[in-house]
Amino acid sequence: VRPALIALDWGTTALRAHLLGTGGAVLEARAEPWGIARLPEGGFAAAYDGIVHGWPRLPAIASGMVGSALGWVEVPYRPCPAGEEDLAASLGTVPGRDLHVVPGLLDAGRPDVMRGEETQVVGALALRPELADGALLLMPGTHSKWVRVAAGRVRGFATYLTGELFAALRGHTILGRPARDAGAAPEEEGREAFARGVLAAAESPDRLAPLLFTARSLVLTGRLGAAASVEYLSGLVIGDEIRAGLAGGTVPAALIGDPSLCRRYTVALGLLGAPEPAVLADAAPAGLWRIAVAAGLIDSAAAGDAA
Amino acid sequence: VRPALIALDWGTTALRAHLLGTGGAVLEARAEPWGIARLPEGGFAAAYDGIVHGWPRLPAIASGMVGSALGWVEVPYRPCPAGEEDLAASLGTVPGRDLHVVPGLLDAGRPDVMRGEETQVVGALALRPELADGALLLMPGTHSKWVRVAAGRVRGFATYLTGELFAALRGHTILGRPARDAGAAPEEEGREAFARGVLAAAESPDRLAPLLFTARSLVLTGRLGAAASVEYLSGLVIGDEIRAGLAGGTVPAALIGDPSLCRRYTVALGLLGAPEPAVLADAAPAGLWRIAVAAGLIDSAAAGDAA
């Protein structure tokens, strides 16, 4: 296996780099806290040169916020439907370097946008080809994405602000105060409170807004422990997201993201009667490889039996 | 008109005091930033003595968080249904002082709780007796309350975290960033963006969570000005609250609260086809007076034709 591609997942808060070899095999992985909002002195160029230091001169490809208006080079959103070929045909390039940047996707309806997740989707379809025919993919996180795939292309998607909403509620409203004062709940009590929140969001005819306050009123009336209330709150916001996401009648076939967060979503999906989805921890390197191959950045011998 | 009662509205962040005379007339009003979370040196006693300084020795009554577990004296929640007589029969007292504290209310169903708003409701019914037979009252704010009144008593209520949710989203998520960077929008543009948010929340089949992200995606796709996006976000959360509140089939007959916030809610209610409600700026002194009279704290001559 010889080195063939430098693959970068370059978001707002982190920069991750993979040296990929023939067929897309991961030869080496590196990570730095050099997201586009936290660049080192010297900016994008210094971050790039730093993270690839010592690696051979190779074609490079990046996805994520590096292609946004605040990134190194702005690559316009590509409208849906779009798959790896469409993304490969719309790459931006960083002047003076052999670095190619994957566009984000636009769902013009709502409208909705993504940058970085489109590459994870391509990777997921590479790792699990059975998803390509038609599937709903759920990417939990700061900005959860529910992505509809058909015939190997993203047809459309919806973003839920769940992770950021939870962080803002926990850190900056009265709902987070009991748990801030009380510390962490025992694990079992926390699990129960999370499930209770999921079910409250799923079963109530109410929308989320009036339910949020129950994270306080249940504590004030002695029906919920202070420490566990933050787990209940997590259950409310995740349960609300899943209830809304399932309203289309399709269940997610796969989760893509942080393993512990995916476990949390798997529990919530199960509570709402959805079957257990597949879980993919990180599909970005596989996605970047596929797009690079489709764009002809890899010589045909190295592309091999592209993963 | 001679002085008859000291009436305190004592919340988390502010302490307001009224010297009331015969019949409940306001003789003098004072305010200090001595909410129960911001007490001066010397605590509750120092705050109390400071704000009533120079006033005659009179019976005193207080409502709000001063009666909570973190207050001067904890007064248990009174279950709904409850009216001024029920509240008057359940007053707490501060040992060693002639200060009586109004209990909060509990709606056991959801459950839901309030402290302070119950007194505003009593005042609103005194100021607008036609509301007492049966009405929905809306008290917008940090924790908006939708209060169902019948036969002069609070039957039940629901709390929406709207104000605090908006502040957390604006101040501590990516949704607030465009407006933080761009400053305030021109007034007309802001009004339009607010209305657009209200209608988006009201007309969409979606729940709030996936709509929130449109406050970002509309800006990123050039369909919404950065400065106006915070007004759109305000419209989304207020529109979502009102849509949920109207789902019961009853429209609010009156708004009670800060006049500029009530104007915002009046606009939103109008956009959703609800008739213009009455607006009451501050009903706390009238409510405290009524509860004090019902509790026999005022001698009968001074009680007069109780307002």
Side-chain angles (χ1 to χ4, degrees):
Chain A
V1 178
R2 63 183 177 80
L5 180 71
I6 293 169
L8 305 179
D9 178 5
W10 203 336
T12 300
T13 58
L15 168 59
R16 298 184 310 130
H18 289 89
L19 181 64
L20 302 182
T22 315
V26 173
L27 303 180
E28 190 179 341
R30 296 176 177 175
E32 295 288 350
W34 296 333
I36 70 161
R38 302 180 182 175
L39 292 171
E41 195 173 341
F44 286 104
Y48 180 76
D49 295 342
I51 204 156
V52 306
H53 182 75
W55 284 352
R57 288 185 70 90
L58 287 169
I61 187 168
S63 64
M65 293 299 285
V66 67
S68 73
L70 300 174
W72 201 353
V73 59
E74 185 173 3
V75 188
Y77 293 106
R78 167 89 200 194
C80 290
E84 62 185 56
E85 297 288 345
D86 308 292
L87 293 168
S90 307
L91 296 181
T93 53
V94 172
R97 314 220 170 206
D98 193 12
L99 173 63
H100 304 266
V101 180
V102 179
L105 287 185
L106 166 70
D107 181 332
R110 192 185 302 266
D112 212 328
V113 292
M114 61 168 55
R115 276 199 194 273
E117 293 92 345
E118 73 295 325
T119 300
Q120 300 245 11
V121 170
V122 169
L125 302 188
L127 297 168
R128 302 272 183 147
E130 71 276 14
L131 298 172
D133 288 342
L136 182 61
L137 307 182
L138 167 49
M139 313 171 78
T142 306
H143 298 163
S144 285
K145 306 281 183 187
W146 291 62
V147 183
R148 300 185 304 283
V149 169
R153 303 168 90 197
V154 172
R155 313 301 297 193
F157 55 92
T159 301
Y160 294 76
L161 201 77
T162 307
E164 201 172 9
L165 175 64
F166 174 68
L169 290 170
R170 180 182 56 183
H172 302 285
T173 76
I174 204 166
L175 303 185
R177 192 187 300 163
R180 288 198 292 273
D181 295 345
E187 196 175 327
E188 180 62 22
E189 189 187 342
R191 266 201 302 270
E192 283 172 13
F194 175 76
R196 189 169 161 194
V198 169
L199 291 172
E203 292 174 355
S204 164
D206 285 322
R207 294 161 73 97
L208 183 61
L211 280 174
L212 286 175
F213 194 68
T214 60
R216 174 165 172 77
S217 58
L218 286 167
V219 173
L220 288 176
T221 56
R223 303 192 207 175
L224 176 66
S229 64
V230 71
E231 291 293 321
Y232 173 81
L233 181 61
S234 169
L236 282 181
V237 296
I238 290 177
D240 188 66
E241 175 191 338
I242 292 179
R243 169 173 148 169
L246 294 179
T250 309
V251 297
L255 303 183
I256 308 170
D258 171 70
S260 72
L261 189 58
C262 286
R263 272 196 298 279
R264 196 169 272 263
Y265 273 70
T266 298
V267 168
L269 283 164
L271 287 167
L272 300 199
E276 186 168 336
V279 174
L280 300 169
D282 181 15
L288 288 162
W289 175 261
R290 289 288 288 225
I291 296 167
V293 169
L297 301 183
I298 319 284
D299 66 66
S300 54
D305 52 342
Chain B
V1 179
R2 63 181 175 83
L5 180 71
I6 292 169
L8 306 179
D9 177 6
W10 203 335
T12 301
T13 58
L15 168 60
R16 298 183 312 130
H18 289 89
L19 181 64
L20 302 183
T22 315
V26 174
L27 303 179
E28 191 180 341
R30 295 176 177 174
E32 295 287 352
W34 296 333
I36 70 161
R38 301 180 183 176
L39 292 171
E41 195 173 341
F44 287 103
Y48 180 75
D49 294 343
I51 203 156
V52 306
H53 183 75
W55 284 353
R57 288 185 69 93
L58 288 169
I61 188 168
S63 63
M65 292 300 285
V66 67
S68 72
L70 299 174
W72 200 352
V73 59
E74 185 172 4
V75 188
Y77 293 106
R78 167 92 202 191
C80 291
E84 63 186 53
E85 298 288 346
D86 308 291
L87 293 168
S90 308
L91 296 181
T93 53
V94 172
R97 314 224 168 201
D98 195 11
L99 173 62
H100 305 264
V101 180
V102 179
L105 287 185
L106 166 70
D107 181 333
R110 195 188 302 268
D112 212 329
V113 292
M114 60 167 59
R115 275 197 195 275
E117 292 95 344
E118 73 296 324
T119 300
Q120 300 245 11
V121 170
V122 169
L125 302 188
L127 297 168
R128 303 272 183 147
E130 71 276 14
L131 298 172
D133 290 342
L136 182 62
L137 307 181
L138 168 49
M139 314 173 75
T142 307
H143 298 163
S144 285
K145 305 282 183 186
W146 291 63
V147 183
R148 300 184 304 282
V149 169
R153 303 169 89 198
V154 173
R155 313 302 297 192
F157 55 91
T159 301
Y160 294 75
L161 200 79
T162 308
E164 201 172 10
L165 175 63
F166 174 68
L169 290 170
R170 180 181 55 184
H172 301 285
T173 75
I174 203 166
L175 303 184
R177 192 188 298 164
R180 287 197 293 273
D181 293 345
E187 197 175 327
E188 180 62 24
E189 188 187 342
R191 265 201 302 272
E192 283 172 15
F194 175 75
R196 189 169 162 194
V198 169
L199 292 172
E203 294 174 354
S204 163
D206 284 322
R207 295 161 72 97
L208 184 61
L211 279 173
L212 286 175
F213 194 69
T214 60
R216 175 165 171 76
S217 58
L218 286 167
V219 173
L220 288 176
T221 55
R223 303 191 208 177
L224 177 66
S229 64
V230 71
E231 291 293 321
Y232 172 80
L233 181 61
S234 170
L236 281 181
V237 296
I238 290 177
D240 187 65
E241 174 191 339
I242 292 179
R243 169 173 149 171
L246 294 179
T250 310
V251 298
L255 302 183
I256 308 170
D258 170 70
S260 72
L261 189 58
C262 286
R263 272 197 297 280
R264 197 169 273 263
Y265 273 71
T266 298
V267 168
L269 284 164
L271 287 167
L272 300 199
E276 187 167 334
V279 174
L280 300 170
D282 181 15
L288 288 162
W289 175 260
R290 289 288 291 224
I291 295 166
V293 170
L297 302 182
I298 319 284
D299 66 67
S300 54
D305 51 345

